[in-house]
Amino acid sequence: MNWLIDFFSNPTNWSGPGGIPARLLEHLEFSVVALLLAAAVAIPLGLWVGHTGRGSFVVVVSANAARALPTLGILVLVVLLVGVGSTWPVLIPLVLLAVPPILVNTYEGVRGVDPDLRDAAYGMGLRGPQVLFKVLVPVALPLILLGLRLAAIQVVATATVAAYVGLGGLGRFIMDGLATKNYTITIGGAFLVVALALAAQAGFTLLSRVAVSPGVRRVR
Amino acid sequence: MITFEGVTKRYDDGTVAVDDLSLEAPTGAITVFVGPSGCGKTTSLRMINRMIDATGGRILLDGQDVRQIDPPTLRRGIGYVIQQAGLFPHRKIVDNVATVPYLLGWDKKRARARAMELLERVGLDAGLARRYPFQLSGGQQQRVGVARALAADPPVLLMDEPFSAVDPVVRTSLQDELLRLQSDLQKTIVFVTHDIDEAIKLGDTVAVMRVGGRLAQMAGPATLLTEPADDFVREFLGRDRGIRRLSFIPAKDVRLAAVPADLALDASGRPLGWRTTGGLLPYGTFNPERDSLRAALDAALLAVNGTAVAVDEDGRVIGVATREALDEVLGQYAARHTSPAPRDPRPEEAHRTSAAAAPGSAPEVPAEASGPDGHAPPDPGPGNHTDGEGPRG
Amino acid sequence: MGDEPLVRWDWIWRNWDTGRPDSILALLESHVVMAFLPVLFGLMLAVPLGLACARWRWLYQPTVSVMNVVYSLPSIAIFIVMLAITGLGQATVIVPLTFYSLAILIPAVVDGLTSIPDHVRKSAVAMGFTPLRRLVGVELPLAVPVVLAGLRVATVSSISLVSVGALIGQGGLGYLFIDGWQRQFTTPIVVGIVATVLLAVIADGLLVLAQRLLTPWRRA
Ligand SMILES: Nc1ncnc2c1ncn2[C@@H]1O[C@H](COP(=O)(O)OP(=O)(O)OP(=O)(O)O)[C@@H](O)[C@H]1O
Ligand SMILES: [Mg+2]
């Protein structure tokens, strides 16, 4: 506790390019961009595979293998190959991290929709895309949002490794504290990361309250 | 009119589900496909709205080959009801019902008004419209399914075992409801079931299918009961064919006698019981305008003296039918169907009635069943409690 | 980098098994230990905790909330905090990863136990099963598929997370990332990534096999 108070009451931690607001913003930037990129790839792919059933085996197997990709390893490899000039090297491992949970949950969500429901939808004369967007997506939405939420938490927590290769974000506090054995800074940085992850979690919970139909959100 | 011309369906794995099926489902009538599990009923039905495409032959909808119509367009003009209702869980009931009108581009207000009207039509409270499907019982969901299929007023309705997931009491009331709706709407309905009693109750025409997707017999229900084409159909129809046929004979031809002195009536002319020295004894009623001969016989069998009490719509006694009077009608009827003359079942079936005509199901319906169905007058008269007693006096 | 190849095979042969703790084989071995023990411990803890949550439903929400917080902790930060408690050793990595596994496995156990169809539970009661016999004979076996699905995710995540421990000197194959970064040499990094993914794929395959053997009634 004392460490946290030390960290947050120290004015030098609040200003300049290395201050809390700047680092928080950097961290948020990596995370949001990585999540958006991952969603842009994983959601359409998951919808398509779940709807058509084509390539589902390949997708599930490779998504599971992709979960095993070590973020730190990918990060150092990308930076070694392309150099540090910009933030985008850190986006690659984060996108790779975020794709599997979004993809798998989207796919499972769509695939898990009651076949009778699809049947009724086609039987009433909905066309393929209408079935997907008017029926399958709304019904699968809780799972799609769950995938996004899990991905967001992992991305926020893992974006800390960017600091290892000299990039910014809240990981800087953690790494710098480690390097200088000043653990006050490490713990303060970790605290901020957790707060951000929990905020993301709360955001998605709120989003699902608003976006998911009460008819689908029914309690078990 | 829906016409099957030598229709065959062979699935990719080689299963022949429907084999050279030719039949006609007339406009404005209910045609029932019935048969044992796996005989190709669902497959036949789904070929009509092209949920499945036939591999041989043609299906014509009012003369036009369905293969020439783009499937979604075709389907929007055909109501479709399936066993589990298949309601959209994320939409309120009213929007579920308005699905096809929305698809057809109706404006929201008109589509919703139409949906509300239909909900009322199928006997659902307007208050349910704002609920989600999971908040409804199975029977209610099934009614919504029917309302949804009717929403854009399609001339054709396809129903695949729509009532088989609900309990027998609810099923009976859904069947009655469908018959009532149909008498107003006169849709061309193709109805699939594996329950022969349901087929006989609902069908204007019943197509009995055998495994392998072949038509075993197609006839009106009364003809089916008296003249099954072969052993398969006979066995499938089950026992009591003669008794069940009584449901198709109207009771209005029964000669009524004047109200005898020993029938006790209340002030408004409703029956109280048969007067004897031992007090009032049980009686049974039927409504000659609506009920079948089966209901009249049932009413007679409930009474200690074998006399059925005829009542009007309000339950007031209009006369009695003695055993002799009932026997006369039975005699005419037996004579009629031994002679080859009346092959066409239609005239006698036109008078098909609702609750009481349910073959085999009437005795299971508890006494709360509302209609004037012979043995359960709505107000509990003194004679009412003695149903189970043996004949005395 | 210039014309340096991505992978220098001769380096792999030379460092495959030198007998030293930084040989590839030795790193693989410590990686396996640090990845699997947490899953094992996690499972041992998750079953009783999950049972408790399924039995007393009010426990579930608080437990899940705590686990969500745990899940959003950045791993490096906890490793550093652990360093202060356990000192440098494999436990520094194993303890936090056990908590990550728990965060995945408890919901899986609870879901598995509560996903049993009501009629199955009722018929078990009707047949005269005592609560304990019912648990062991009916509910646990039927929960196996869901728990195994959670176990697959926990195992793969654990394998991938171990490498972050390299930042504090205990990371199994993760050491190869640090080594490669410091020497600006891609071969060890690629070896580390490939070995980690292979390890995960093999472990996942074994779990799928276990799923087949343990739940023969589910084979379609
Ligand atoms: N997609 C399919 N692929 C292969 N065979 C099928 C397929 N769908 C149905 N069949 C087979 O075709 C036959 C007829 O099936 P159909 O569903 O039409 O039967 P049904 O009369 O509706 O039976 P039920 O009363 O059980 O619903 C069955 O033998 C069935 O196994
Ligand atoms: Mg069927």
Side-chain angles (χ1 to χ4, degrees), chain B residues 327-343:
Chain B
D327 202 39
E328 275 167 31
V329 182
L330 276 178
Q332 286 165 12
Y333 161 64
R336 186 144 34 121
H337 85 78
T338 46
S339 73
R343 292 293 292 232

Side-chain angles (χ1 to χ4, degrees), chain B residues 37-43 46 83 160-161 192 194:
Chain B
S37 185
C39 70
K41 308 180 290 289
T42 298
T43 304
R46 287 161 65 89
Q83 185 180 347
D160 192 354
E161 308 206 15
V192 162
H194 58 252

Side-chain angles (χ1 to χ4, degrees), chain A residues 64 67-70 73-74 76-77 79-80 153-154 157 164-165 174-175 178 183 186 190 193-194 197-198 201 220, chain C residues 1 6 68 71-74 76-77 80 111 152 156 160 163 167 177-178 180-181 184-185 189 193 196-197 200 204:
Chain A
N64 229 11
R67 278 185 212 272
L69 287 174
I74 306 287
V76 292
L77 185 63
V79 174
L80 271 191
I153 294 173
Q154 288 184 27
Y164 180 69
V165 293
I174 296 173
M175 293 296 171
L178 181 63
Y183 295 122
T186 298
V193 172
V194 175
L198 292 180
Q201 175 141 353
R220 272 191 293 167
Chain C
M1 309 252 93
L6 189 65
N68 274 337
Y71 202 63
S72 50
L73 291 168
I76 324 171
I80 293 170
D111 282 353
R152 288 175 63 189
V156 173
S160 130
S163 39
L167 293 174
F177 306 148
I178 307 291
W181 174 249
Q184 304 281 299
F185 177 36
I189 302 175
I193 293 172
T196 311
V197 172
D204 196 43

Side-chain angles (χ1 to χ4, degrees), chain B residues 212-231:
Chain B
R214 282 203 182 114
L215 189 62
Q217 185 174 9
M218 181 150 169
T223 312
L224 203 62
L225 285 168
T226 40
E227 299 164 48
D230 57 19
D231 286 346

Side-chain angles (χ1 to χ4, degrees), chain C residues 22-214:
Chain C
D22 64 350
S23 73
I24 298 173
L25 214 56
L27 292 172
L28 189 65
E29 204 183 299
S30 73
H31 198 105
V32 169
V33 171
M34 285 188 290
F36 287 104
L37 284 184
V39 180
L40 194 66
F41 295 153
L43 186 63
M44 282 160 53
L45 289 171
V47 170
L49 287 174
L51 280 173
C53 289
R55 173 77 182 70
W56 297 288
R57 291 306 305 228
W58 57 268
L59 269 176
Y60 187 49
Q61 262 318 309
T63 312
V64 166
S65 304
V66 171
M67 287 303 144
N68 274 337
V69 175
V70 170
Y71 202 63
S72 50
L73 291 168
S75 44
I76 324 171
I78 330 186
F79 290 158
I80 293 170
V81 175
M82 283 302 297
L83 212 47
I85 302 170
T86 58
L88 184 59
Q90 292 191 332
T92 321
V93 172
I94 291 173
V95 173
L97 289 190
T98 301
F99 280 99
Y100 283 129
S101 296
L102 263 183
I104 296 169
L105 290 175
I106 290 182
V109 171
V110 176
D111 282 353
L113 287 173
T114 51
S115 68
I116 293 168
D118 212 38
H119 62 91
V120 173
R121 198 190 311 269
K122 284 200 179 119
S123 66
V125 176
M127 280 188 288
F129 276 81
T130 61
L132 185 68
R133 289 275 315 274
R134 199 175 81 214
L135 182 69
V136 175
V138 181
E139 295 178 357
L140 280 180
L142 289 179
V144 165
V146 185
V147 176
L148 273 173
L151 210 55
R152 288 175 63 189
V153 176
T155 305
V156 173
S157 311
S158 189
I159 290 173
S160 130
L161 275 174
V162 165
S163 39
V164 177
L167 293 174
I168 54 151
Q170 273 295 351
L173 294 164
Y175 170 80
L176 296 171
F177 306 148
I178 307 291
D179 187 41
W181 174 249
Q182 282 166 354
R183 293 198 278 147
Q184 304 281 299
F185 177 36
T186 53
T187 304
I189 302 175
V190 174
V191 170
I193 293 172
V194 171
T196 311
V197 172
L198 277 182
L199 193 59
V201 169
I202 291 169
D204 196 43
L206 289 176
L207 282 170
V208 172
L209 206 68
Q211 197 163 358
R212 289 263 166 89
L213 294 177
L214 285 174

